[in-house]
């Protein structure tokens, strides 16, 4: 189903604006040409009327010179009139002052016998045998003809205007849709979706060539990122195997150890460090698997309110034993499309992050509603300028949060949020004034 655009969106479409501008320029040139043609037709018609009058005048003048003026030969009609000054009948019906004129001239509308009001006439006057002869022709046919031409030009112009604007809008929107698709693909690529393509079938014009080049660029970028991800994953796997062997030997050394307690404590500490390194590698491997995006294929509706209740029931006694207060702010049901295990892991990471980096006695709030899923705490918080840094892998702040860790907890949450097309937002705790920390995932509709 095609999308409906608002007037504001249509006004911002450069391809549509250009097409409509060309259509308007074409219409302007069309009407300008129509005015020029109308002016030329009028001028040519007036010249033809003048030539016809002069020719008719010469013929009547020649006839008068030969056999005199015969009124019955020139009756007054609705199209042609002949006045001769020496003829009493002509003087009776002739407009006042007409015999005082000479040459080719037009007279304002007047009334004659058997003629209508408002008709325009054109006359030619001259001397014949010492008297004034006037020949006139009714311009009603000329006026009608010119009005028909004007109406025809307007009707044809209106049809051409509608067709031109329609064609301009069609091709403008068609081009704009192609540009919008390219823009949408680039937007998704910027957010990490490298599985989308412009899918240009044939290179028919420059936009097809551009789409093909963009697809080629995304293909190369996808290959490079996959190679980098695979390289990092392989390194992690290669490190994990010898570390696992080292841990096994340390366990065996603890079991077989017969020396003093100090050496045994050092061995146990080495074993703990080994476990921490393995945990870091496991976190890197999880992030690499999530960034591949293949897990989206198993997304299903998840009630985050129910999920949050489950997380709360699990961690409430853990937080209490550690000296913290975990409280729920859950309203629901609220359903999102995603992976239940990953969303559970994201909440666990946020709660563990709050337990690690806030002083004992702090209150930790688990929030789940239609707008957000996250955790707020009453700890010291972090500077706003550091928000963008703490969600990067292996980034840690050593001001108020100096506990052990690899700095991968929030990076994993960020990866899970991106996978669910959600924004990971950090801000001060809304219940406090500029302190504390509120980390939540905001899902798009």
């Amino acid at each position: 189903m095609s999308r409906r655009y608002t007037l504001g969106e249509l006004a911002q479409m450069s391809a549509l604006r250009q097409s409509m501008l060309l259509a308007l320029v074409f219409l302007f040139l069309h009407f300008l040409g129509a005015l020029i043609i109308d002016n030329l037709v009028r001028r040519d018609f007036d010249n033809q009327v003048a030539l016809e009058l002069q020719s008719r005048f010469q013929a009547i003048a020649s006839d008068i010179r030969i056999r005199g003026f015969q009124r019955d030969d020139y009756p007054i009609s609705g199209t042609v009139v002949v006045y001769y000054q020496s003829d009493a009948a002509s003087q009776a019906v002739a407009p006042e002052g007409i015999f005082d004129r000479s040459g080719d001239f037009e007279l304002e509308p007047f009334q004659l016998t058997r003629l209508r009001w408002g008709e325009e006439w054109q006359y030619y006057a001259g001397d014949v045998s010492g008297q004034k002869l006037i020949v006139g022709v009714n311009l009603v046919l000329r006026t009608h003809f010119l009005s028909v031409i004007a109406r025809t030009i307007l009707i044809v112009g209106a049809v051409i205007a509608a067709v031109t604007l329609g064609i301009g809008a069609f091709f403008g929107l068609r081009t704009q849709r192609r540009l919008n698709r390219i823009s949408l693909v680039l937007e998704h690529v910027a957010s990490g979706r490298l599985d989308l393509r412009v899918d240009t079938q044939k290179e028919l014009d420059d936009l097809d060539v551009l789409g093909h080049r963009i697809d080629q660029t995304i293909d190369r970028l996808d290959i490079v990122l996959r190679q980098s991800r695979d390289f990092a994953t392989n390194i992690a796997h290669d490190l994990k195997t010898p570390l696992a062997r080292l841990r096994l030997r340390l366990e065996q050394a603890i079991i077989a150890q017969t020396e003093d307690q100090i050496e045994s404590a050092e061995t146990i500490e080495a074993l703990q460090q080994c476990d921490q390194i393995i945990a870091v590698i496991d976190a890197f491997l999880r992030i690499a698997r999530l960034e591949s995006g293949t897990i989206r294929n198993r997304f299903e509706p998840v009630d985050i309110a129910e999920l949050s209740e489950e997380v709360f029931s699990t961690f409430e006694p853990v937080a209490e034993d550690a000296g913290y207060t975990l409280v729920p702010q859950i309203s629901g049901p609220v359903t999102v499309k995603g992976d239940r295990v990953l969303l559970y892991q994201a909440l666990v990471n946020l709660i563990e992050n709050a337990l690690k980096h806030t002083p004992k006695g702090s209150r930790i709030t688990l929030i789940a509603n239609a707008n957000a899923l996250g955790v707020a705490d009453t700890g010291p918080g972090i500077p706003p300028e550091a928000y963008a840094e703490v969600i990067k892998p292996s980034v840690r702040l050593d001001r108020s949060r100096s506990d052990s860790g690899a700095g991968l907890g929030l990076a994993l949450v960020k990866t899970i949020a991106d996978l669910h097309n959600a924004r990971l937002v950090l801000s001060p705790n809304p219940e406090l004034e500029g302190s504390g920390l509120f980390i939540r995932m905001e899902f798009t509709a």
Side-chain angles (χ1 to χ4, degrees), residues 329 367 376-377 427-438 440:
Q329 283 188 7
I367 299 174
D377 63 56
S427 65
N429 191 328
E431 297 180 355
L432 306 176
E433 294 183 359
S435 62
L437 184 62
F438 181 25
R440 72 274 190 189

Side-chain angles (χ1 to χ4, degrees), residues 83-264:
Y83 305 123
Y84 195 54
Q85 191 173 12
S86 64
D87 182 69
S90 296
Q91 292 185 6
V93 297
E96 182 179 357
I98 196 172
F99 290 110
D100 297 332
R101 302 186 181 227
S102 62
D104 191 2
F105 63 93
E106 292 185 17
L107 197 65
E108 294 295 329
F110 61 95
Q111 184 181 19
L112 289 175
T113 306
R114 292 172 292 131
L115 298 183
R116 298 190 304 264
W117 277 98
E119 292 179 342
E120 295 183 4
W121 290 71
Q122 187 168 344
Y123 301 90
Y124 190 85
D127 292 332
V128 177
S129 300
Q131 300 293 327
K132 187 77 72 176
L133 173 66
I134 299 175
V135 179
V137 61
N138 196 334
L139 299 181
V140 64
L141 294 178
R142 167 187 174 275
T143 304
H144 177 71
F145 178 74
L146 293 178
S147 65
V148 169
I149 291 180
R151 284 196 302 270
T152 302
I153 291 175
L154 288 176
I155 294 173
V156 172
V159 172
I160 292 177
V163 173
T164 303
L165 292 176
I167 293 176
F170 171 77
F171 284 103
L173 287 174
R174 179 174 176 270
T175 303
Q176 191 64 47
R177 288 193 187 100
R178 297 167 67 191
L179 291 174
N180 289 346
R181 174 166 178 78
I182 294 175
S183 177
L184 181 63
V185 169
L186 292 176
E187 181 181 351
H188 283 294
V189 169
S191 64
R193 292 283 305 277
L194 298 180
D195 57 324
L196 297 180
R197 297 294 184 272
V198 179
D199 288 334
T200 301
Q201 301 298 328
K202 298 180 181 179
E203 294 187 2
L204 301 178
D205 55 21
D206 54 345
L207 288 181
D208 291 330
V209 174
L210 176 62
H212 184 65
R213 297 292 183 269
I214 290 175
D215 287 346
Q216 289 180 331
T217 303
I218 297 175
D219 289 337
R220 296 191 188 101
L221 180 62
D222 190 24
I223 292 173
V224 172
L225 290 179
R226 287 182 183 275
Q227 290 175 344
S228 300
R229 190 183 300 118
D230 293 343
F231 180 70
T233 303
N234 292 335
I235 291 177
H237 278 295
D238 292 341
L239 287 174
K240 187 176 181 180
T241 301
L243 284 173
R245 293 173 181 170
L246 175 60
R247 187 183 190 285
L248 180 60
R249 291 183 180 180
L250 288 173
E251 287 179 345
Q252 293 173 349
I254 292 175
I255 295 173
Q257 195 164 19
T258 57
E259 297 183 4
D260 58 39
Q261 185 67 22
I262 297 177
E263 292 180 351
S264 177

